[in-house]
Amino acid sequence: KNEVEQSPQNLTAQEGEFITINCSYSVGISALHWLQQHPGGGIVSLFMLSSGKKKHGRLIATINIQEKHSSLHITASHPRDSAVYICAVRSRGGADGLTFGKGTHLIIQP
Amino acid sequence: DAGVIQSPRHEVTEMGQEVTLRCKPISGHNSLFWYRQTMMRGLELLIYFNNNVPIDDSGMPEDRFSAKMPNASFSTLKIQPSEPRDSAVYFCASSFKGDGNQPQHFGDGTRLSIL
């Protein structure tokens, strides 16, 4: 079973700061997802990665398959970025369900 | 486009009662997932279906839990009898299973409280 670890567990930063959230996993994967969950509870898929790097607006996600590690970066952070960010992996071998990290609680203060 | 639709949004009931959670996946999606989220354990996969067929139910906690997908546009997750430890947020997600990886689209969840 894949073990997914995220760090930090909690992060408070000032508006405008550059944010990095890390995710590591134990077993080879076919895809890694970054999800965002707002206080209202809904979950939104931000990125799905199997290699390299993806960018969407102020969000950047990278993955290093050899190191079994991924990072989510937020540039020019804003209070509306405050949410829980969850890393999830789909293990190699055909199983389609996701295994999740515990999430990173991010608070951006104005 | 309509996303994944779950009902009810909230459910409060007494222990021992039967609970039925419902999910309508995005039209055209052929994979459906049921997840549970608790403070202690975070998000966990309960069961998933491909083309209406249950593929992996190893996450279903015990026999009190059952899930069905009678057609491509509807799935239920049933708990009978319910217990206080079943209190959690239950999410349904759907995706299109093709040759490559596809993102999963989540419903808004059902917040279940068992008293």
Side-chain angles (χ1 to χ4, degrees):
Chain A
K1 187 184 174 204
N2 222 327
E3 302 292 333
V4 181
E5 299 287 338
Q6 279 187 244
S7 63
Q9 194 172 350
N10 298 286
L11 178 57
T12 299
Q14 295 298 119
E15 184 173 356
E17 286 189 38
F18 181 81
I19 303 299
T20 296
I21 299 170
N22 296 299
C23 174
S24 61
Y25 51 92
S26 58
V27 179
I29 63 169
S30 62
L32 182 142
H33 299 246
W34 281 103
L35 309 171
Q36 181 191 56
Q37 186 171 29
H38 275 283
I43 296 173
V44 174
S45 179
L46 298 174
F47 294 104
M48 187 180 63
L49 294 163
S50 54
S51 64
K53 177 179 174 178
K54 286 191 176 180
K55 184 175 190 292
H56 185 255
R58 296 179 294 104
L59 301 178
I60 303 166
T62 63
I63 189 168
N64 184 320
I65 296 294
Q66 287 73 31
E67 301 269 321
K68 296 187 177 64
H69 180 268
S70 175
S71 293
L72 176 69
H73 305 286
I74 306 174
T75 62
S77 60
H78 190 275
R80 65 175 175 266
D81 298 324
S82 299
V84 176
Y85 293 84
I86 302 169
C87 171
V89 300
R90 180 189 173 199
S91 297
R92 236 186 280 142
D96 293 322
L98 298 177
T99 302
F100 300 86
K102 291 285 171 61
T104 295
H105 291 73
L106 174 66
I107 297 172
I108 304 296
Q109 294 178 335
Chain B
D1 287 345
V4 175
I5 299 172
Q6 289 187 247
S7 64
R9 289 295 311 274
H10 303 272
E11 173 94 11
V12 180
T13 192
E14 292 186 346
M15 66 177 291
Q17 297 297 308
E18 178 179 292
V19 173
T20 300
L21 311 181
R22 297 174 176 80
C23 177
K24 177 178 168 56
I26 291 173
S27 177
H29 283 186
N30 55 3
S31 290
L32 183 140
F33 306 82
W34 282 102
Y35 296 104
R36 178 171 70 175
Q37 185 177 38
T38 61
M39 289 291 291
M40 290 296 295
R41 299 171 68 90
L43 275 158
E44 300 175 289
L45 174 69
L46 297 177
I47 184 171
Y48 77 92
F49 297 81
N50 284 341
N51 297 314
N52 313 338
V53 176
I55 301 300
D56 181 1
D57 65 355
S58 59
M60 296 284 263
E62 44 194 278
D63 291 346
R64 298 184 297 106
F65 285 69
S66 62
K68 294 182 179 178
M69 191 163 187
N71 56 63
S73 59
F74 183 67
S75 177
T76 59
L77 178 67
K78 190 172 291 189
I79 309 172
Q80 166 64 20
S82 58
E83 297 182 4
R85 61 193 166 121
D86 302 330
S87 297
V89 181
Y90 291 80
F91 287 98
C92 175
S94 72
S95 70
F96 177 74
K97 180 173 174 61
D99 291 334
N101 290 299
Q102 295 293 332
Q104 294 188 14
H105 299 261
F106 286 76
D108 289 336
T110 294
R111 186 172 296 275
L112 177 64
S113 296
I114 307 297
L115 306 177

